[in-house]
Amino acid sequence: MLQFIVQVALDTPLDFYFDYRWVGESADSKAPVRGQLARVPFGQREVVGLVMAVKESTDVPSGKLRDVIAIQEHITPLTEDWLDLCAFAAGYYQRPLGEVALPCLPKNLRVSKPAALVRAFKALDKELPAHSPVMVNKPALHEAQCKAAEAIVNAQGFAPILLHGVTGSGKTEVYLQATEQFLAHTHDAQVMILVPEINLTPQLESSIRSRFPNMAVATLHSGLAEGERMRNWLAAHTGRARIVLGTRLAVLASIPKLSLIIIDEEHDPSYKQQEGLRYSARDLAVWRARQLNIPVVLGSATPSVESWQHGQSGRYQRLELRERAVKDAVLPAVRLIDTEKERPQDGFTAPLINAVKLRLERGEQSLLFLNRRGYAPVLVCDSCGWLSNCMRCTSFMVLHKPERRLRCHHCSLELPIPRSCPTCGNTDLQPLGRGTQRIEEGLQQRFPDARILRIDADSTRLKGSAQAALDSVHRGEVDILIGTQMVAKGHDFQGLTLVGIVNPDTALFSHDYRASERLFAQLMQVGGRAGRTAQKEGGSASEVLIQTRYPQHPLYAAVVAHDYDRFAAALLEERRYAALPPFMYQSLLRAEARSLEGALDFLHQAASLLQCPHIVINEPIPMTVTRVANVERAQLLVESASRPALQSFLKTWMPELRAIKTSVKWQLEVDPVSI
Ligand SMILES: [Zn+2]
Ligand SMILES: [Zn+2]
């Protein structure tokens, strides 16, 4: 009888593989191979693991060796390319391979019996065969778009391409036409398109489906039901889906014939996973393109400084779209309103209110942008100075007036709004500062007949409600839209001619060195929602009004001039001078404990383990929001000007960290985006 030892990677924090015995049921049983999934016993449980190797013998004593329960034979083994990708991500982000690879697979594949898989395959068979890459309703491209699409199609081997195009310049059309040519050129080629947010997938999915009516498209994002996720994952894995569209998690999908990768809005912070395996989907996508020797397109109106630097140095090929795609649509005029001269009332200056009024009279839409949800960030007592601190966090409870609640945005604690000051009994508690709800209230009072809609994380808690809200804006059922960053990206609002930025200044003075880069990108993005179509006869020219106390600030000057290059060059110089990324490579060790001393002690111990040349180990410090849900948090920053030096330091450091006996919870993040 056939018998082998199968080495299996499991989803555990243990950094090694597990040996099991596999015995063939009959003489013609097929031996397991690398890349298959195996159901195995683990402790008292049954789990699914990934076969890493099949061998003749093991050091595990035969009395302790357990048997494989079953090998998943219904799906083709995962490819070497995919295993390499997981191995790279595991190595780079300092995690065991099993902890990286297994969570990438649909849950149904990891837990269920073969019957569910057979069902998923049957559902797949019902879908359209993936045959014709012919695109319908193809618009003519303008010259710069043509050039860009051609450059992508003609790229040879590994070719990172930075597609820098102003908002509304028709980047999506370039993606689609390049995709068509790739699919037409090779009969089984697959293309992966990444977008930063789930909210952007339905819009792009429907335009892809309508343009490629005879092509199977699979979407992958965290909003899918498990059955759907399984079916779509299989469609990608079996090669039936020729286009795979997804959010950051799609970068780790099995796509065996991947031939082109497109990353839309490559600068977007959502590409960074902020828990578990804290990977950058953009960076992994570029690595994957290099490994497969294929082109990767990084598209943005405001590229990240890292990508922009690569574009300057020639490492990335740079393509530019400087004009808007729609004939006679022009970039909106950006104007700064000095709030020292024009004092705001209820958060609005007179010029902004007048501009909104003008749009209302002409039946055009306005968008007011404020990246702070809730009614007011804090409730105060003027007579004794009481503030609505969260009892569990180093932060304030945010006033949510329509919900009649105080809510902590860090730990989700909710309390009723107190009728009087808990300290002195004063009944006149005042909201301080402004969130989207308060802006909405102010506008309702000024424009009682206007149709006003607020879109933020609170107004769109129900599944599908964000899409429904956006749809009603598209249908023209909204006069004034109030929104957070949720509305800033990608959406193409046809009737919008005014964007008002209510209060952007706080980000100018953030302790986070990336805050200004993000603010600039956000302002360009949200401003770019205006004037996507040609100005109507008798209609308003599209404009962006920014209320600020600092109209002299160079960041705003660059926004007014639509001058990304000037801003990026200045930012890069600043980073070079301050020895910050991309001139420095960073890793962050975070510790969580019941007491701050406990967390800091652990980090001091960690810092003293190793001394290495070219590695800077900084002082452990408490995190800015130190306490969240009664847990104290601190961090230790490790830096180096050399990425290989930092990686080799981490490789030695990690086993020593794991050996520390402590009750402190800790994790390591490589290339953190916020510090
Ligand atoms: Zn009081
Ligand atoms: Zn809290």
Side-chain angles (χ1 to χ4, degrees):
M1 207 180 307
L2 218 48
Q3 184 172 322
F4 285 105
I5 302 300
V6 176
Q7 201 169 45
V8 177
L10 297 177
D11 182 5
T12 75
L14 303 169
D15 201 1
F16 49 79
Y17 303 143
F18 299 81
D19 283 356
Y20 290 89
R21 176 173 47 215
W22 175 87
V23 183
E25 281 174 9
S26 63
D28 56 350
S29 291
K30 264 196 228 142
V33 297
R34 181 171 147 91
Q36 278 184 315
L37 298 175
R39 202 139 48 85
V40 295
F42 187 68
Q44 303 295 314
R45 293 179 300 144
E46 253 183 59
V47 295
V48 168
L50 184 61
V51 176
M52 298 306 295
V54 180
K55 45 185 194 170
E56 302 283 337
S57 62
T58 174
D59 298 337
V60 180
S62 62
K64 290 200 164 171
L65 195 63
R66 302 174 79 177
D67 283 347
V68 170
I69 298 165
I71 294 286
Q72 177 59 274
E73 286 173 338
H74 289 80
I75 64 165
T76 48
L78 290 143
T79 61
E80 286 300 323
D81 286 336
W82 186 80
L83 292 168
D84 281 352
L85 171 69
C86 294
F88 169 76
Y92 187 77
Y93 294 111
Q94 312 295 328
R95 289 292 190 113
L97 183 127
E99 245 189 2
V100 173
L102 288 152
C104 296
L105 304 173
K107 208 164 157 197
N108 282 353
L109 206 57
R110 281 179 282 147
V111 296
S112 71
K113 310 272 185 295
L117 204 91
V118 173
R119 267 203 307 280
F121 269 114
K122 276 192 180 146
L124 256 194
D125 284 336
K126 274 192 210 142
E127 282 186 9
L128 271 180
H131 281 324
S132 164
V134 174
M135 191 155 86
V136 298
N137 302 327
K138 203 156 118 181
L141 298 183
H142 62 69
E143 198 190 330
Q145 282 177 309
C146 264
K147 267 196 185 152
E150 247 168 52
I152 296 167
V153 172
N154 294 330
Q156 297 291 321
F158 171 59
I161 296 169
L162 179 63
L163 179 59
H164 181 196
V166 298
T167 53
S169 60
K171 291 188 285 292
T172 309
E173 204 48 57
V174 173
Y175 303 153
L176 292 182
Q177 301 213 8
T179 296
E180 182 196 29
Q181 298 208 35
F182 263 84
L183 298 181
H185 191 256
T186 314
H187 78 284
D188 57 358
Q190 292 175 290
V191 174
M192 172 164 77
I193 304 177
L194 298 179
V195 290
E197 291 224 352
I198 293 181
N199 291 333
L200 293 175
T201 53
Q203 192 184 333
L204 191 54
E205 185 185 357
S206 74
S207 61
I208 292 175
R209 284 189 196 281
S210 67
R211 298 291 287 284
F212 295 99
N214 296 308
M215 177 72 67
V217 179
T219 53
L220 288 172
H221 55 74
S222 60
L224 298 177
E226 283 304 330
E228 228 178 346
R229 184 170 173 216
M230 170 90 146
R231 202 166 62 237
N232 293 0
W233 185 89
L234 276 177
H237 174 67
T238 56
R240 288 179 206 217
R242 304 280 305 280
I243 300 176
V244 178
L245 166 66
T247 52
R248 61 171 179 262
L249 59 84
V251 79
L252 288 160
S254 161
I255 309 174
K257 299 289 179 183
L258 187 57
S259 306
L260 169 66
I261 301 175
I262 292 164
I263 312 165
D264 191 25
E265 313 287 6
E266 66 87 28
H267 65 278
D268 199 290
S270 310
Y271 282 121
K272 182 74 200 285
Q273 165 87 10
Q274 294 290 15
E275 54 196 34
L277 178 76
R278 294 167 177 241
Y279 62 92
S280 154
R282 181 199 58 205
D283 295 353
L284 284 182
V286 173
W287 189 89
R288 204 170 175 177
R290 183 198 304 271
Q291 174 209 25
L292 297 173
N293 208 26
I294 60 171
V296 53
V297 180
L298 299 99
S300 177
T302 51
S304 61
V305 285
E306 288 86 354
S307 299
W308 190 78
Q309 187 199 25
H310 290 326
Q312 294 298 101
S313 72
R315 237 175 106 182
Y316 290 1
Q317 185 187 352
R318 207 171 136 188
L319 303 174
E320 303 227 13
L321 304 176
R322 292 199 169 272
E323 307 286 325
R324 287 205 148 173
V326 175
K327 195 169 175 292
D328 298 330
V330 290
L331 286 170
V334 181
R335 253 193 321 134
L336 302 174
I337 303 173
D338 185 345
T339 53
E340 285 292 291
K341 291 183 188 143
E342 299 280 351
R343 289 289 177 164
Q345 280 192 338
D346 306 327
F348 303 105
T349 55
L352 182 56
I353 283 300
N354 291 337
V356 173
K357 204 187 271 169
L358 190 70
R359 268 51 187 205
L360 284 172
E361 285 161 12
R362 291 182 171 165
E364 297 167 355
Q365 291 175 316
S366 306
L367 162 63
L368 296 182
F369 176 77
L370 178 64
N371 213 7
R372 171 177 275 163
R373 64 193 173 88
Y375 186 86
V378 58
L379 193 63
V380 298
C381 169
D382 285 337
S383 67
C384 78
W386 174 87
L387 297 164
S388 59
N389 284 302
C390 175
M391 61 184 83
R392 308 199 295 176
C393 308
T394 334
S395 67
F396 297 119
M397 303 280 290
V398 177
L399 175 62
H400 285 250
K401 201 173 170 192
E403 300 96 327
R404 308 173 76 85
R405 282 280 186 277
L406 291 178
R407 271 189 194 149
C408 173
H409 290 184
H410 292 277
C411 74
S412 309
L413 179 68
E414 289 203 15
L415 296 171
I417 301 170
R419 286 175 193 282
S420 58
C421 173
T423 311
C424 74
N426 170 22
T427 51
D428 188 24
L429 296 176
Q430 292 297 326
L432 193 68
R434 249 162 263 282
T436 45
Q437 292 175 346
R438 197 168 184 185
I439 292 294
E440 182 185 18
E441 187 186 78
L443 284 169
Q444 274 162 351
Q445 283 161 3
R446 274 168 203 271
F447 304 112
D449 298 327
R451 298 167 300 174
I452 298 174
L453 180 71
R454 170 170 56 87
I455 300 188
D456 57 25
D458 298 308
S459 75
T460 55
R461 283 195 170 192
L462 296 175
K463 198 185 171 192
S465 59
Q467 194 52 43
L470 291 167
D471 287 346
S472 74
V473 182
H474 285 297
R475 284 195 302 268
E477 293 164 7
V478 174
D479 300 317
I480 305 173
L481 174 64
I482 298 159
T484 55
Q485 49 155 349
M486 276 183 77
V487 297
K489 299 172 195 172
H491 301 289
D492 207 348
F493 302 125
Q494 299 286 327
L496 193 73
T497 59
L498 172 69
V499 172
I501 315 283
V502 178
N503 180 18
D505 287 343
T506 43
L508 292 179
F509 309 103
S510 169
H511 64 279
D512 183 347
Y513 72 90
R514 285 184 202 269
S516 61
E517 184 183 354
R518 279 198 290 262
L519 174 63
F520 183 83
Q522 223 161 46
L523 294 179
M524 297 290 272
Q525 285 289 328
V526 71
R529 299 311 104 209
R532 310 280 285 198
T533 51
Q535 186 181 344
K536 291 202 181 78
E537 208 170 313
S540 324
S542 62
E543 59 180 347
V544 178
L545 301 183
I546 301 175
Q547 300 190 140
T548 173
R549 271 187 68 185
Y550 309 94
Q552 311 305 329
H553 198 285
L555 185 144
Y556 292 130
V559 174
V560 169
H562 297 280
D563 193 349
Y564 170 82
D565 289 334
R566 188 170 76 186
F567 175 74
L571 197 60
L572 212 52
E573 254 333 286
E574 219 178 277
R575 299 269 184 93
R576 190 197 303 275
Y577 184 72
L580 287 166
F583 302 98
M584 211 57 171
Y585 298 92
Q586 300 182 324
S587 286
L588 201 58
L589 182 64
R590 290 201 174 92
E592 297 184 348
R594 282 287 154 201
S595 76
L596 187 56
E597 291 73 39
L600 288 169
D601 283 351
F602 168 81
L603 293 177
H604 278 291
Q605 195 183 345
S608 64
L609 286 174
L610 273 185
Q611 293 302 323
C612 257
H614 313 300
I615 302 289
V616 181
I617 301 174
N618 291 275
E619 263 304 287
I621 50 165
M623 285 175 65
T624 318
V625 180
T626 310
R627 187 163 39 97
V628 169
N630 289 329
V631 173
E632 304 285 347
R633 312 179 313 159
Q635 64 186 31
L636 168 65
L637 182 66
V638 181
E639 303 175 281
S640 175
S642 150
R643 199 199 293 262
L646 182 59
Q647 277 287 317
S648 85
F649 169 81
L650 296 178
K651 291 249 174 322
T652 327
W653 200 34
M654 279 302 276
E656 300 201 23
L657 288 176
R658 289 198 184 103
I660 298 178
K661 290 213 165 20
T662 177
S663 60
V664 170
K665 272 174 67 183
W666 59 270
Q667 75 253 346
L668 182 83
E669 181 173 5
V670 180
D671 304 332
V673 286
S674 57
I675 287 180

